[in-house]
Amino acid sequence: KAVVDSLVPYANIVTVVMMAGEELMRLRFEDLVYPVGQWQMTESQYVFADGFVVAMTESGDTEIELCALGTPADIGITEPTELIIERQNAINSLSQQRQATFKQYVVSKGVESSRILLCAPKIDSDPHASPRLSFE
């Protein structure tokens, strides 16, 4: 019994260390910012995407959730109170185009489509927010 009692705390430490180790090994990407109203990729976004492809290729079977965040400015709205449903749909449509274009590009470069999970687009109504893709 004394041996078992002494092993229990050690097992808890190993679990914590393993969880911390997994967290350290997790891929992290900065947000990919887009110019307001634009869904096509720019030269700097292609550079980012190429780095993304290299990281995904080297990471084995890691999956990434790709989330698009649009802003009211994407469709010329300066006051978030003007976000009626049709305008929200327009912002989300633009965000989906950003997601699709990015995913299509990295898949064409060899990343398996199944490793890039798309989430529903969101709207960031902060007046200082930039349209972007985020990676989780």
Side-chain angles (χ1 to χ4, degrees):
K1 171 120 172 91
V3 172
V4 171
D5 288 340
S6 66
L7 289 177
V8 172
Y10 178 72
N12 291 338
I13 292 171
V14 170
T15 302
V16 170
V17 170
M18 286 173 45
M19 287 189 318
E22 289 172 11
E23 184 65 25
L24 292 174
M25 297 302 292
R26 204 168 140 198
L27 279 178
R28 289 186 179 84
F29 295 97
E30 296 295 321
D31 289 349
L32 179 57
V33 176
Y34 277 73
V36 170
Q38 184 175 333
W39 59 268
Q40 303 94 338
M41 292 174 59
T42 64
E43 185 61 36
S44 64
Q45 290 162 332
Y46 281 113
V47 170
F48 177 98
D50 290 339
F52 178 88
V53 169
V54 170
M56 290 295 286
T57 302
E58 292 177 355
S59 71
D61 60 354
T62 299
E63 293 178 347
I64 296 287
E65 186 174 35
L66 176 59
C67 298
L69 292 102
T71 63
D74 275 329
I75 60 169
I77 296 175
T78 57
E79 293 295 323
T81 56
E82 300 175 27
L83 280 179
I84 59 174
I85 195 72
E86 292 82 13
R87 292 176 180 168
Q88 291 174 3
N89 290 341
I91 295 168
N92 287 337
S93 177
L94 181 61
S95 294
Q96 287 174 322
Q97 288 178 299
R98 290 177 181 134
Q99 274 181 321
T101 301
F102 182 86
K103 183 174 180 175
Q104 182 180 22
Y105 178 77
V106 298
V107 167
S108 76
K109 296 294 183 177
V111 176
E112 295 86 6
S113 179
S114 61
R115 294 176 59 202
I116 302 172
L117 311 172
L118 302 180
C119 70
K122 297 174 181 79
I123 298 174
D124 188 341
S125 295
D126 184 311
H128 304 293
S130 296
R132 62 199 180 277
L133 296 178
S134 68
F135 304 84
E136 298 177 23

